Amino acid sequence: MGKKVAVIAFSPVNGMGLFQYLEAFFENQIQYKTFAIDSVKEIKTNSGISITLDDVIANLKGHESEYDALVFSCGDAMISFKDNADKPYYKDMFEVLKNFNDQGKLIAGHCAAAVIFEKAGITTGKKVAVHPYGKPAIQNGTATDDKFVVDHNLYTAQCEGAIWQLMPDLLAALK
């Protein structure tokens, strides 16, 4: 059996991005569990579709060792992130990201994921693919114009439209 992945998602999440990961994991028999970066399991997609995830980020904290990888699914929540960065579930997200990185585990994401990775302190000395609007936020890592980048344990795609280009490397690492 392949590796086990924790998939974390903002609300609202970019459904196209999230469902690309979940469908690829399902089709490739890669175990995963979904976690809302929120205090409730019910989230929405950018287009307003309600979905219920398996759990919340607070319940992933302290259980990072049970997973081989973490995938961050971005969304429109990034627009209001700075106004809500003090929420407990965002603090939990940063702690979880740091713990995964400290354990040398694979961490993947698209769009503004690299900005979140930067804020979590895990991009130092690494190249990342990031949405063009997020490039100025990358100070410790190196923001690229590449559609996707794999650097050490970070797997990043510039946007949801580039996830398919990242996916072969991501799936190979998870099998």
Side-chain angles (χ1 to χ4, degrees), residues 6 11 35 44 64 105 141 152:
S11 183
F35 295 86
K44 290 190 179 273
E64 295 89 350
K105 296 185 180 202
H152 293 85

Side-chain angles (χ1 to χ4, degrees), residues 20 105-106 112 121:
Q20 282 183 81
K105 296 185 180 202
L106 185 153

Side-chain angles (χ1 to χ4, degrees), residues 37-165:
I37 305 168
D38 207 321
S39 58
V40 295
K41 297 189 295 185
E42 294 76 24
I43 67 171
K44 290 190 179 273
T45 67
N46 291 353
S47 58
I49 298 170
S50 296
I51 56 176
T52 301
L53 301 185
D54 297 314
D55 211 334
V56 295
I57 191 79
N59 295 329
L60 176 56
K61 190 170 72 171
H63 296 276
E64 295 89 350
S65 64
E66 299 171 21
Y67 297 87
D68 301 292
L70 179 135
V71 170
F72 173 86
S73 195
C74 197
D76 282 352
M78 282 300 296
I79 295 167
S80 62
F81 175 76
K82 68 179 169 101
D83 298 328
N84 296 295
D86 62 336
K87 301 281 189 210
Y89 45 86
Y90 286 145
K91 291 177 182 179
D92 289 342
M93 172 190 66
F94 286 122
E95 187 175 333
V96 165
L97 282 164
K98 182 144 179 28
N99 289 340
F100 268 84
N101 189 67
D102 289 351
Q103 294 174 28
K105 296 185 180 202
L106 185 153
I107 300 171
H110 68 282
C111 199
V115 174
I116 295 298
F117 299 166
E118 173 81 14
K119 300 241 180 259
I122 64 173
T123 61
T124 301
K126 298 174 186 172
K127 292 181 181 178
V128 293
V130 62
H131 190 284
Y133 293 149
K135 282 181 73 175
I138 307 301
Q139 300 295 310
N140 297 313
T142 302
T144 71
D145 291 321
D146 298 333
K147 294 297 181 190
F148 75 96
V149 173
V150 176
D151 193 348
H152 293 85
N153 65 320
L154 289 187
Y155 289 62
T156 52
Q158 188 180 61
C159 63
E160 67 277 358
I163 293 172
W164 69 271
Q165 294 172 294

